[in-house]
Amino acid sequence: MTTTAENTAGTGGRARPVLLTVDDDPGVSRAVARDLRRRYGERYRVVRASSGEEALAALRELKLRGDAVVAVLADYRMPQMNGIEFLEQAMDLFPRARRALLTAYADTDAAIQAINLVDVDHYLLKPWEPPEEKLYPVVDAMVEMWLASPEAAVQDVRIVGHHWSAPSFAVRDFLARNAVPYRWYSAEEPEGRRLLDAAGAGPDDVPVVVPPGGRPLVAPTEAELAAAVGLTVEPSAEFYDLVVVGGGPAGLGAAVYGASEGLRTVLVERQATGGQAGQSSRIENYLGFPDGVSGGQLADRARRQAAKFGAEVLTARKVAALDTQGPARVVRFADGGCIAAHAVVLATGVSYRKLEAEGADGFTGRGVYYGSAITEAASCAGEDVYVVGGANSAGQSAVFFARHARSVTLLVRGPSLEASMSHYLVQQLAAIPNVAVRTGTTVVAARGGDHLEELDLRDATGAVETVPSSHLFVFIGAAPRTEWLDGVVARDGLGFLPTGPDLLVDGARPPGWRLERDPYLLESSVPGVFVAGDVRAQSVKRVASAVGEGAMAVTLVHRYLGER
């Protein structure tokens, strides 16, 4: 790593963003660093490493210090860990850093593969002389892409809070799920106290969020937090061709295809794009990613893809109602605002059901977490972690936390995993030595002081065992978020939204249907309002099918608009 003087030069005391280069050939490594410093040395630090492991160690140190990484250039042919394998792991540390693979002409096939596998932005053929023609234009493009990303704008967001505070966890989780980098300070540590003093706040006022160059926010709402860190919360227009409600795989698919096909499109998400899939630590059965991809990475790519085609993405806006006003479909927000469109795609997904265990509600965000809560990974080191659920999301979480915790126990209500979990994941779990699976087991009580400390577990015989644990991650059931549609769009007994043929009863169209045709395949009981993804009745609960339904819904939107 570079010296402290180099770290802060030209930044008024703040570390300059980093350009990282990795090559096991010392001569090539020096040449890359020399050429990069010649052009970018005044604005960026150039850090070089001689292996993938050395580079990952450097990235981990940069991450801990809160420094920003602009771009990573990695040689393809390196021993122990090649460039593609390194970039895949580097993405988990700095997902918004731009990536380039250095290859020989014979390795161009590998470079093309890397574009799909780890979202490589460019590949460079060695040698790249002269750099003015072959190196700098590529690096310039990567720097410009990074400068346009949220990381460049909000790299110094700081949070002061208490670890076992539910509001503090909610702020960290919101920023992490929206891929906004931040630095975390405990209210008990000196720097945390200094920030609280500067903000005119005390330990009881946490969480306190200090955005760069902005006023401190004390216990902010999600909308206030989103606006402060540069996320879009206000629409640019009052009327669109298409409003997509929900930012999971189905909603992102609809936004990408809607915008790419010329529809003025806005996506509205109440918390963070990605939905439940966005919280998955590793999705390994999604087409085109043979080595897997994290849900966060997949959501980030889809979000950037939607933005590239011109779709707007509104974050931290909760939708409260849907109205029809003649040919317009009006989406109303909980804060009183609204937007309208010719057509709407409902892709609100599902949420995890609450754990019905005595005392569990009181520990939400203080030891009991719904979803993976990846921000808690570091605090699980050396701990005994419990995961509730028997589907893929629970299995993926168990695999992830096994890398950090002393032990992970998967609690499954049913008699086995095979009926609810993919075969590949069952095999993975069986091969991890610190993962145990307890079938026929439920959580009946949670206890502790300021945070979760122990659980009562009931087995299939009715016997109850008390176990110590500070972390419980819950992945049970699927509750659709459709109460706000009651009385407007037809719902089934569980709250899911039937579409197309499922709306016909003895051949009769749904009440209030005034068109002379039957509802289209993904159309709800309201003409021009379509449904995609997990919230649709009888849908297949998989990422690929949700993306496909989002795309199909846009095709049907075009057909509907053609009727007008």
Side-chain angles (χ1 to χ4, degrees), residues 4 8 25 33 137 144 292 360 368 412 424 479 481 511 516:
T4 302
T8 57
D25 185 317
E144 289 174 8
V368 175
V412 184
Y424 82 90
R481 301 163 177 163
E516 304 211 358

mmCIF file of all heavy atoms in Angstrom, residues 4 8 25 33 137 144 292 360 368 412 424 479 481 511 516:
data_model
loop_
_atom_site.group_PDB
_atom_site.id
_atom_site.type_symbol
_atom_site.label_atom_id
_atom_site.label_comp_id
_atom_site.label_asym_id
_atom_site.label_seq_id
_atom_site.Cartn_x
_atom_site.Cartn_y
_atom_site.Cartn_z
ATOM 1 N N THR A 4 1.047 7.339 3.888
ATOM 2 C CA THR A 4 -0.040 8.243 4.300
ATOM 3 C C THR A 4 0.013 9.532 3.502
ATOM 4 O O THR A 4 -1.017 10.076 3.099
ATOM 5 C CB THR A 4 0.086 8.546 5.803
ATOM 6 O OG1 THR A 4 0.035 7.313 6.524
ATOM 7 C CG2 THR A 4 -1.045 9.444 6.262
ATOM 8 N N THR A 8 -3.316 11.045 1.046
ATOM 9 C CA THR A 8 -4.142 12.223 1.253
ATOM 10 C C THR A 8 -3.751 13.403 0.382
ATOM 11 O O THR A 8 -4.417 14.418 0.396
ATOM 12 C CB THR A 8 -4.055 12.665 2.727
ATOM 13 O OG1 THR A 8 -2.691 12.911 3.068
ATOM 14 C CG2 THR A 8 -4.592 11.588 3.653
ATOM 15 N N ASP A 25 3.677 -10.664 -13.251
ATOM 16 C CA ASP A 25 4.922 -10.361 -13.955
ATOM 17 C C ASP A 25 5.427 -9.001 -13.472
ATOM 18 O O ASP A 25 4.786 -7.972 -13.736
ATOM 19 C CB ASP A 25 4.672 -10.320 -15.464
ATOM 20 C CG ASP A 25 5.948 -10.135 -16.260
ATOM 21 O OD1 ASP A 25 6.797 -9.305 -15.858
ATOM 22 O OD2 ASP A 25 6.099 -10.784 -17.307
ATOM 23 N N ALA A 33 1.621 0.336 -13.723
ATOM 24 C CA ALA A 33 1.579 1.370 -12.692
ATOM 25 C C ALA A 33 2.210 2.669 -13.197
ATOM 26 O O ALA A 33 1.697 3.769 -12.944
ATOM 27 C CB ALA A 33 2.290 0.876 -11.432
ATOM 28 N N PRO A 137 -7.669 5.540 -23.316
ATOM 29 C CA PRO A 137 -9.104 5.653 -23.640
ATOM 30 C C PRO A 137 -9.973 4.676 -22.849
ATOM 31 O O PRO A 137 -11.087 5.014 -22.456
ATOM 32 C CB PRO A 137 -9.137 5.354 -25.146
ATOM 33 C CG PRO A 137 -7.788 5.748 -25.642
ATOM 34 C CD PRO A 137 -6.850 5.367 -24.536
ATOM 35 N N GLU A 144 -14.900 7.602 -16.062
ATOM 36 C CA GLU A 144 -16.153 8.351 -16.292
ATOM 37 C C GLU A 144 -17.357 7.575 -15.787
ATOM 38 O O GLU A 144 -18.273 8.157 -15.183
ATOM 39 C CB GLU A 144 -16.306 8.653 -17.784
ATOM 40 C CG GLU A 144 -15.328 9.697 -18.308
ATOM 41 C CD GLU A 144 -15.410 9.861 -19.811
ATOM 42 O OE1 GLU A 144 -16.321 9.270 -20.412
ATOM 43 O OE2 GLU A 144 -14.558 10.569 -20.378
ATOM 44 N N GLY A 292 -22.336 -18.609 -10.302
ATOM 45 C CA GLY A 292 -23.198 -17.919 -9.359
ATOM 46 C C GLY A 292 -23.007 -16.413 -9.383
ATOM 47 O O GLY A 292 -22.030 -15.884 -9.918
ATOM 48 N N ALA A 360 -40.129 -12.768 19.975
ATOM 49 C CA ALA A 360 -39.323 -12.535 18.768
ATOM 50 C C ALA A 360 -39.494 -11.114 18.234
ATOM 51 O O ALA A 360 -38.514 -10.488 17.791
ATOM 52 C CB ALA A 360 -39.683 -13.551 17.691
ATOM 53 N N VAL A 368 -32.794 -10.658 15.731
ATOM 54 C CA VAL A 368 -33.712 -11.361 14.842
ATOM 55 C C VAL A 368 -33.827 -10.555 13.564
ATOM 56 O O VAL A 368 -34.182 -9.364 13.602
ATOM 57 C CB VAL A 368 -35.110 -11.537 15.487
ATOM 58 C CG1 VAL A 368 -36.069 -12.168 14.485
ATOM 59 C CG2 VAL A 368 -35.010 -12.393 16.742
ATOM 60 N N VAL A 412 -35.660 -26.343 10.153
ATOM 61 C CA VAL A 412 -36.646 -26.630 9.116
ATOM 62 C C VAL A 412 -37.876 -27.262 9.763
ATOM 63 O O VAL A 412 -37.753 -28.262 10.476
ATOM 64 C CB VAL A 412 -36.063 -27.583 8.051
ATOM 65 C CG1 VAL A 412 -37.051 -27.790 6.923
ATOM 66 C CG2 VAL A 412 -34.744 -27.033 7.518
ATOM 67 N N TYR A 424 -28.923 -28.926 -5.769
ATOM 68 C CA TYR A 424 -27.522 -28.488 -5.682
ATOM 69 C C TYR A 424 -27.242 -27.851 -4.319
ATOM 70 O O TYR A 424 -26.151 -28.005 -3.749
ATOM 71 C CB TYR A 424 -27.187 -27.500 -6.808
ATOM 72 C CG TYR A 424 -27.593 -26.072 -6.548
ATOM 73 C CD1 TYR A 424 -26.733 -25.182 -5.917
ATOM 74 C CD2 TYR A 424 -28.853 -25.605 -6.925
ATOM 75 C CE1 TYR A 424 -27.111 -23.874 -5.657
ATOM 76 C CE2 TYR A 424 -29.240 -24.303 -6.680
ATOM 77 C CZ TYR A 424 -28.354 -23.434 -6.045
ATOM 78 O OH TYR A 424 -28.739 -22.138 -5.796
ATOM 79 N N ALA A 479 -45.669 -13.595 2.080
ATOM 80 C CA ALA A 479 -46.859 -12.766 2.269
ATOM 81 C C ALA A 479 -46.884 -11.683 1.196
ATOM 82 O O ALA A 479 -45.984 -10.849 1.144
ATOM 83 C CB ALA A 479 -46.838 -12.127 3.657
ATOM 84 N N ARG A 481 -47.673 -8.273 -0.778
ATOM 85 C CA ARG A 481 -47.908 -6.897 -0.317
ATOM 86 C C ARG A 481 -49.008 -6.264 -1.169
ATOM 87 O O ARG A 481 -48.734 -5.439 -2.038
ATOM 88 C CB ARG A 481 -46.612 -6.097 -0.430
ATOM 89 C CG ARG A 481 -45.463 -6.681 0.375
ATOM 90 C CD ARG A 481 -44.138 -6.106 -0.081
ATOM 91 N NE ARG A 481 -43.031 -6.599 0.740
ATOM 92 C CZ ARG A 481 -41.759 -6.537 0.381
ATOM 93 N NH1 ARG A 481 -41.433 -6.033 -0.798
ATOM 94 N NH2 ARG A 481 -40.809 -6.983 1.164
ATOM 95 N N PRO A 511 -65.995 -8.845 -12.586
ATOM 96 C CA PRO A 511 -66.930 -7.725 -12.405
ATOM 97 C C PRO A 511 -66.284 -6.397 -12.767
ATOM 98 O O PRO A 511 -65.139 -6.120 -12.397
ATOM 99 C CB PRO A 511 -67.266 -7.793 -10.915
ATOM 100 C CG PRO A 511 -66.990 -9.207 -10.522
ATOM 101 C CD PRO A 511 -65.846 -9.650 -11.366
ATOM 102 N N GLU A 516 -64.265 -5.682 -24.659
ATOM 103 C CA GLU A 516 -64.921 -6.779 -25.364
ATOM 104 C C GLU A 516 -63.995 -7.962 -25.599
ATOM 105 O O GLU A 516 -64.274 -8.813 -26.437
ATOM 106 C CB GLU A 516 -65.480 -6.273 -26.702
ATOM 107 C CG GLU A 516 -66.399 -5.119 -26.536
ATOM 108 C CD GLU A 516 -67.480 -5.086 -27.602
ATOM 109 O OE1 GLU A 516 -67.464 -5.951 -28.486
ATOM 110 O OE2 GLU A 516 -68.303 -4.188 -27.518
#
